[in-house]
Amino acid sequence: MGDLIVAVDIGTGSARAGIFDAMGTLLARADYPILMNRPEENHAEHDSENIWSAVCIAVKTARAKAGVPAEAIAAIGFDATCSLVVRDHDGAPLSVNRKGDPRWDTIVWLDHRAMAQADACTATKHAVLRHSGSVMSPEMQMPKLLWLKQTLPEQWDRVGYLFDLADFMSWRATGSTLRSRCTLTAKWNYLSHAGGWQPDFLDAIGLGDLPERGRLDAEPAAVGSAIGLLTAEAAADLGLHEACRVATGVIDAYAGAIGVLGRFAGQPDVLERQLALIAGTSSCIVAFSREMRPGFGMWGPYYEAGFKGQWLIEGGQSATGALLDHVVRSHSAGGEPDAEIHARIVLRIQELRAAYGTDFAARLHVLPDFHGNRSPFADPHARGVISGLTLDSSFDALCRLYWRTCVAIALGVRHILAMMKDAGYHVDTLHVTGGHVRNPLLMDLYSDATGCRVVVPETTDAVLLGTAMIASVAGGLHGDLAAAGAGMSPGGFERRPDPDMTAVYDRDYAKFLRLYRHRAELEAD
């Protein structure tokens, strides 16, 4: 086989494929949209067959752009959102739709239908919750599975396979039900450092039969392992060779963390001072440590969900890019939130800031919890707040609200960093990847509002790169992730905080915290 890698990233709205060489050079990439069904509030569903088809189109297109033969590809790796795929005993799609629409067999990561079930899991106060910030999120798989069992019992009786989306992709590619340590540890309350499944917890929440029912009873594979070779059918679908190895799947945010922090994997002292900010539809803030350092409102610590011998911990914001889209879509001067209107808004904000300085929109204040607060409060029931609105419905009014929402998102990152510091994480550098790198407002704020040095890698897609690193190990191009990180990582450019803005954002942060206190007072009665 050859010495090239295919990396596939399955996001919320599209599948992306990239062709990489062993030095991390992206030779070609292609995107293809995927469908999402929003049948009711808090429900979001995918069609896993549609996802597989989109991935196949993206892989074939990327390989054609690169102009390389199928035999040149040594391995393929998949990263994906932590969405739940449900299949019957024959491996066919099994509907998760309340009305039984057979097409929708996947509960999307951002789906919050299982809030009551998440609260029930939290109420057990089981020790496994220490690795979920002491609170169960409805974005995890246990509440979603419990919702399925309680709400659609006929469907539950037909369950034969249960997958995190990344593991579904490796199963579809190889036929193997071997799962990734990354996905099970991070999203299924599987304690990889303590014997795996905790039967007393599963029994306590009514899912004691889960490992057997979902074919989840085998020990998961380490990140960078090979799950197997492509089946003949999968190879034909993807336009690849049957000798192509398939790597363990990983969660998309963690692939991004590996992509931006991989070059430090062999330097644990340096690695512990770095933090990955994977910012797109939502935002994930990932740090690594040689010691287990749990903290309230943080997901993890997860042992070896990324690098060998390291604990991974994550803080997050459930809606960031999605929140900016919502602001644009819901304002009378907005519209469909495409790249063009975002660019117009950003340009106008830059003009208004130049004209008004720090007084621009200074009386507007936002709490960005429109889809709950993942960190640091671990409260999926939280709601957003806007203070300081007027009757102005002009485009400039939209710009003011958009700007202050950006400020709130950055202050939310600062809030999470403060929480992580309290838990013993002493990071001084943010490595940013994802869609936010194309928003100059956010990129300035991530440095100025947090006081951190910000590094942006010189790659168009660090998430794809992280998946390529993992696949390069599975394909034998590199010995381990530390070697892959050292050999494939790009350089980066950095931005340091503007000292003239320190006092401004210190005041904003104090008001941000005060607004949280006021919200708590209003909701106390």
Side-chain angles (χ1 to χ4, degrees):
M1 292 301 293
D3 57 358
L4 300 180
I5 296 298
V6 174
V8 174
D9 168 37
I10 304 168
T12 307
S14 66
R16 294 168 286 278
I19 311 293
F20 290 83
D21 66 19
M23 295 177 289
T25 303
L26 178 62
L27 305 181
R29 62 165 283 169
D31 298 28
Y32 200 81
I34 60 176
L35 301 175
M36 186 191 299
N37 183 42
R38 301 299 298 263
E40 55 187 290
E41 184 182 10
N42 288 327
H43 287 232
E45 299 159 354
H46 283 321
D47 169 0
S48 65
E49 290 299 312
N50 167 257
I51 292 174
W52 175 256
S53 296
V55 166
C56 292
I57 292 170
V59 170
K60 287 179 176 178
T61 304
R63 188 171 68 79
K65 285 182 177 180
V68 297
E71 293 78 9
I73 308 299
I76 184 171
F78 301 99
D79 74 73
T81 64
C82 52
S83 301
L84 174 67
V85 183
V86 183
R87 294 274 170 145
D88 67 15
H89 290 283
D90 297 323
L94 188 60
S95 176
V96 297
N97 182 272
R98 195 194 296 271
K99 294 183 179 180
D101 188 331
R103 180 174 191 178
W104 309 107
D105 67 339
T106 302
I107 302 179
V108 183
W109 69 270
L110 55 76
D111 184 292
H112 275 201
R113 71 181 68 185
M115 286 199 284
Q117 289 77 15
D119 291 343
C121 292
T122 299
T124 67
K125 298 183 179 180
H126 193 280
V128 299
L129 297 171
R130 192 179 183 214
H131 296 272
S132 297
S134 299
V135 176
M136 183 67 76
S137 167
E139 295 174 19
M140 295 294 184
Q141 306 300 14
M142 290 302 172
K144 292 174 178 174
L145 292 163
L146 192 55
W147 180 92
L148 183 64
K149 183 174 184 178
Q150 293 175 346
T151 309
L152 302 175
E154 300 86 358
Q155 295 297 85
W156 181 258
D157 288 342
R158 297 174 58 200
V159 167
Y161 296 84
L162 296 165
F163 296 101
D164 221 77
L165 180 52
D167 289 327
F168 165 77
M169 297 302 295
S170 62
W171 170 73
R172 187 62 189 268
T174 66
S176 171
T177 59
L178 187 61
R179 313 305 168 86
S180 166
R181 186 176 299 168
C182 174
T183 57
L184 290 195
T185 302
K187 303 302 175 185
W188 297 71
N189 298 103
Y190 182 96
L191 302 186
S192 60
H193 66 288
W197 299 111
Q198 305 298 298
D200 57 338
F201 173 66
L202 296 180
D203 289 339
I205 63 173
L207 291 175
D209 60 342
L210 175 64
E212 181 179 1
R213 177 177 292 275
R215 304 195 189 190
L216 292 153
D217 43 6
E219 183 177 348
V223 176
S225 301
I227 296 292
L229 302 177
L230 288 176
T231 65
E233 180 183 4
D237 287 349
L238 292 162
L240 300 176
H241 194 278
E242 291 178 47
C244 178
R245 295 182 183 180
V246 179
T248 42
V250 292
I251 294 162
D252 54 350
Y254 300 170
I258 290 168
V260 296
L261 301 182
R263 61 194 174 108
F264 305 112
Q267 308 169 66
D269 290 336
V270 178
L271 177 63
E272 292 192 5
R273 297 198 302 274
Q274 317 299 313
L275 186 144
L277 172 57
I278 303 93
T281 302
S282 63
S283 292
C284 299
I285 300 167
V286 177
F288 293 93
S289 172
R290 286 166 292 181
E291 299 177 6
M292 186 179 74
R293 296 183 180 132
F296 182 84
M298 294 190 292
W299 290 354
Y302 304 131
Y303 188 62
E304 293 189 343
F307 300 123
K308 184 177 181 181
Q310 294 279 342
W311 296 85
L312 182 155
I313 197 145
E314 174 190 352
Q317 297 168 294
S318 292
T320 51
L323 177 54
L324 293 175
D325 283 347
H326 174 73
V327 167
V328 174
R329 187 182 292 112
S330 60
H331 198 280
S332 61
E336 187 58 30
D338 56 20
E340 181 182 355
I341 193 167
H342 279 286
R344 284 178 53 217
I345 292 169
V346 169
L347 178 60
R348 181 57 179 158
I349 288 172
Q350 291 170 327
E351 293 171 350
L352 291 167
R353 291 184 68 205
Y356 292 98
T358 57
D359 290 335
F360 173 60
R363 294 184 64 189
L364 262 175
H365 303 283
V366 178
L367 293 185
D369 302 339
F370 287 56
H371 199 54
N373 182 288
R374 191 187 298 172
S375 303
F377 296 123
D379 182 6
H381 302 280
R383 293 293 179 263
V385 175
I386 302 173
S387 173
L389 291 174
T390 72
L391 292 176
D392 188 357
S393 59
S394 68
F395 184 73
D396 280 2
L398 169 58
C399 292
R400 286 193 291 270
L401 180 57
Y402 188 102
W403 164 244
R404 294 303 294 182
T405 303
C406 287
V407 171
I409 290 169
L411 293 176
V413 172
R414 177 169 172 168
H415 202 187
I416 295 169
L417 294 179
M419 169 196 69
M420 297 181 79
K421 183 177 180 180
D422 290 342
Y425 296 86
H426 299 285
V427 297
D428 53 31
T429 305
L430 295 177
H431 297 260
V432 184
T433 188
H436 293 196
V437 299
R438 295 187 292 273
N439 187 321
L441 304 177
L442 286 170
M443 294 309 297
D444 286 349
L445 284 164
Y446 284 140
S447 183
D448 292 341
T450 67
C452 287
R453 183 174 72 113
V454 166
V455 176
V456 179
E458 293 179 356
T459 174
T460 56
D461 198 326
V463 176
L464 276 178
L465 177 60
T467 300
M469 291 177 181
I470 294 165
S472 76
V473 177
L477 275 65
H478 292 286
D480 55 25
L481 271 179
M488 299 176 72
S489 291
F493 61 91
E494 67 175 62
R495 184 191 188 282
R496 294 185 178 272
D498 181 352
D500 292 338
M501 298 302 294
T502 300
V504 173
Y505 292 119
D506 284 349
R507 285 194 299 270
D508 276 336
Y509 185 59
K511 293 176 181 179
F512 183 77
L513 298 180
R514 196 178 308 148
L515 193 55
Y516 269 121
R517 292 194 293 271
H518 292 329
R519 186 183 72 181
E521 291 170 359
L522 289 170
E523 296 185 349
D525 297 333

